[in-house]
Amino acid sequence: MPVWRWQVARWTTFDECAAALDLTPGELSWFADAKGWNRRAADPIRHYGYRWIPTASGGVRLIERPKPRLAELQRRILRHVVEALPVHEAAHGFRRGRSPMSCATPHAGRATVVRMDLEGFFPTVSARRISALLALAGYPEAVAEALAGVLTTAAPPDVLAAAPGGRRDPARQRLLRNLAATHLPQGAPSSPAVANAVTHHLDRRLDGLARSLGAAYTRYADDLAFSGNSLPLRRLLPGVRRIVTDEGFRLRDDKTSITGAHQRQRVAGLVVNSAPAASRADYDTLRALLHNCARTGPEAQNRAAHPDFRAHLLGRIGWIAASSPARAAKLRALFDGISWP
């Protein structure tokens, strides 16, 4: 009999799992795609739509949005399974009751702030890693692999070949290689919560390292933040790299920053030199975005293909509101002028 951990839905067979998800066993096999048919299928019957986005640093990002039936299936697994998996207290992204403000607050007024980024965060998380976590929760192998299959995908060769030009370096090759394998799709409603669950052990180890050095640690998605008043950087930096590598991730060296109190210190997009606050530039950028949404429609402005763009904008307004209610009121007035489909 399975040894169950946490309050996950207890599905002991593949057929029981399918029935609980309101699927036939054949339909569950179809969506789990154990044999990788989706990579070879014609566009109309693929499970995902694809969109490449150039990044500000010269790289590329692939947005993979599940089609409606798969998206609803992923939400069911999110409710019944993923939300019961443990998430470390240091994780602040994509969590109820957490925000960029809660992520940044522990670092306010510190002498030194260190920021480090994980490379290719979602594509690095494989189906095998998710299946192992679900097996630890108690699911038999067939169920764990089916659930992991529904939550992940592998990009078709023609989609990878259509990647736009940009910076050609080893990071791009690693990204394309991870996208070709099974990975968490950026654009699926379940992916952020799955990523938080998978990184629980990473967060626990980084938090332990930070505490041993008298530092604070928080994470917002792929953004790692450490701060302290007398940080031993010669121990912190290699320690973080060792733990990140051990846990199967990689740091982006070009994104590591170390800022003192005399410089602008930012965590999760907020300036933290004193109390966490959004900068004037961030406010102006969001105000322009809301204005354009009202003028041309929100779909034309959703260039990052957020699955719930309305909630994304409200979250950004809430982020401004945490430090400036007056600015947030002006942004909310602009938001109320948007016509949603």
Side-chain angles (χ1 to χ4, degrees):
M1 294 296 294
V3 177
W4 295 101
R5 295 177 178 86
W6 315 306
Q7 297 301 311
V8 297
R10 298 186 175 185
W11 303 325
T12 57
T13 67
F14 184 92
D15 288 4
E16 183 181 352
C17 176
L21 294 172
D22 198 25
L23 300 172
T24 66
E27 288 173 326
L28 179 55
S29 295
W30 170 265
F31 285 116
D33 192 24
K35 297 184 178 180
W37 72 266
N38 188 66
R39 298 186 74 247
R40 303 183 299 272
D43 182 64
I45 59 173
R46 286 176 179 168
H47 289 324
Y48 288 83
Y50 301 94
R51 181 182 179 186
W52 286 102
I53 298 177
T55 66
S57 61
V60 292
R61 178 182 298 118
L62 180 61
I63 304 300
E64 301 165 287
R65 297 189 63 177
K67 293 180 181 178
R69 193 175 182 200
L70 176 57
E72 176 53 33
L73 180 57
Q74 290 169 337
R75 291 188 187 98
R76 291 183 187 178
I77 296 173
L78 177 65
R79 291 192 299 269
H80 294 295
V81 178
V82 178
E83 289 181 348
L85 300 175
V87 176
H88 197 273
E89 286 301 301
H92 291 260
F94 320 116
R95 296 184 66 187
R96 293 188 184 94
R98 302 295 181 91
S99 66
M101 178 64 68
S102 68
C103 183
T105 296
H107 307 287
R110 297 295 187 101
T112 307
V113 172
V114 177
R115 287 180 52 199
M116 309 172 83
D117 272 22
L118 300 176
E119 179 186 294
F121 185 45
F122 283 4
T124 301
V125 179
S126 66
R128 179 177 297 180
R129 179 178 290 193
I130 298 167
S131 178
L133 177 61
L134 295 174
L136 182 63
Y139 289 106
E141 181 180 357
V143 177
E145 290 182 353
L147 294 174
V150 173
L151 296 171
T152 59
T153 188
D158 61 297
V159 172
L160 298 176
R167 189 182 63 238
R168 304 279 177 173
D169 58 10
R172 179 187 175 98
Q173 297 306 314
R174 288 190 293 268
L175 172 65
L176 295 177
R177 186 165 57 247
N178 287 334
L179 290 172
T182 54
H183 62 276
L184 270 184
Q186 186 167 354
S190 50
S191 290
V194 174
N196 274 341
V198 166
T199 50
H200 177 265
H201 198 246
L202 170 72
D203 287 331
R204 188 172 68 181
R205 293 183 65 187
L206 291 177
D207 185 61
L209 172 66
R211 289 176 184 272
S212 72
L213 300 177
Y217 163 68
T218 59
R219 179 179 60 82
Y220 198 95
D222 57 355
D223 190 353
L224 315 178
F226 302 85
S227 66
N229 291 325
S230 56
L231 276 184
L233 296 177
R234 290 184 180 180
R235 295 174 60 190
L236 175 68
L237 299 180
V240 172
R241 182 176 300 278
R242 182 178 63 253
I243 291 172
V244 167
T245 302
D246 285 349
E247 293 296 323
F249 293 94
R250 180 187 290 266
L251 290 173
R252 286 189 59 181
D253 292 330
D254 61 324
K255 283 288 191 174
T256 296
S257 68
I258 303 170
T259 51
H262 62 288
Q263 300 168 295
R264 175 172 286 187
Q265 299 171 321
R266 294 176 70 101
V267 173
L270 298 172
V271 179
V272 296
N273 291 73
S274 52
S279 68
R280 177 58 191 245
D282 294 328
Y283 166 71
D284 289 342
T285 297
L286 181 54
R287 182 178 61 179
L289 176 60
L290 294 171
H291 173 76
N292 289 336
C293 285
R295 185 171 58 87
T296 65
E299 291 185 357
Q301 300 302 317
N302 186 14
R303 296 187 176 92
H306 292 284
D308 190 342
F309 191 46
R310 188 176 189 277
H312 169 73
L313 292 179
L314 287 173
R316 290 181 65 178
I317 294 172
W319 168 54
I320 298 289
S323 58
S324 178
R327 286 181 175 177
K330 296 177 182 178
L331 295 174
R332 186 59 198 241
L334 289 171
F335 177 88
D336 291 340
I338 299 173
S339 297
W340 295 94

